[in-house]
Amino acid sequence: MRAGLLRNRIAVQSPHEVVSDLGDPQQVWDTIIETWAQVGGPAGAEREADGGGANVQRRTFSVRYRTDLNSTHRSLWPTTTDIWDVEDASDLEGRQRMTTITAVKRG
């Protein structure tokens, strides 16, 4: 992939638990990388939820090859309020050049 196609800045976050001042466990998110990506999509789909259809937005984010991304992570794009839950992160070509993240928009 040519570097000129990586035009969008994304952040990828990883969850972990902390204990609040009251002793309750809370999930917090830490940014593990901020990188340039090629954003593909949108790919819309209908999903049945409780008998009704719900619109699901799916996108792909292609980044330089990484082995530390997985489905426990989330992406932030184009702003920090737009959260994309990672479904898969894999090297689709098998050439160790790019990692393609498939994600679903939360909310």
Side-chain angles (χ1 to χ4, degrees):
M1 173 175 285
R2 295 187 346 251
L5 298 176
L6 305 177
R7 296 183 181 147
N8 296 277
R9 195 78 173 157
I10 67 167
V12 178
Q13 295 184 326
S14 179
H16 74 273
E17 280 195 3
V18 297
V19 178
S20 72
D21 293 338
L22 301 174
D24 298 323
Q26 293 180 331
Q27 186 179 53
V28 296
W29 293 87
D30 290 326
T31 299
I32 56 171
I33 62 166
E34 289 185 20
T35 188
W36 293 99
Q38 178 181 9
V39 178
E46 290 291 322
R47 178 175 61 188
E48 292 294 321
D50 299 328
N55 187 32
V56 176
Q57 284 189 44
R58 221 174 236 103
R59 288 200 184 255
T60 58
F61 302 91
S62 297
V63 299
R64 296 207 183 277
Y65 181 71
R66 300 185 64 93
T67 59
D68 59 344
L69 303 177
N70 61 56
S71 61
T72 64
H73 297 137
R74 70 182 189 183
S75 297
L76 305 178
W77 176 84
T79 67
T80 56
T81 59
D82 293 305
I83 299 171
W84 298 81
D85 292 322
V86 174
E87 290 185 321
D88 182 56
S90 57
D91 177 11
L92 297 179
E93 297 176 352
R95 298 172 64 191
Q96 297 184 348
R97 291 178 38 186
M98 299 301 295
T99 297
T100 300
I101 300 166
T102 304
V104 175
K105 188 167 187 179
R106 187 183 296 178

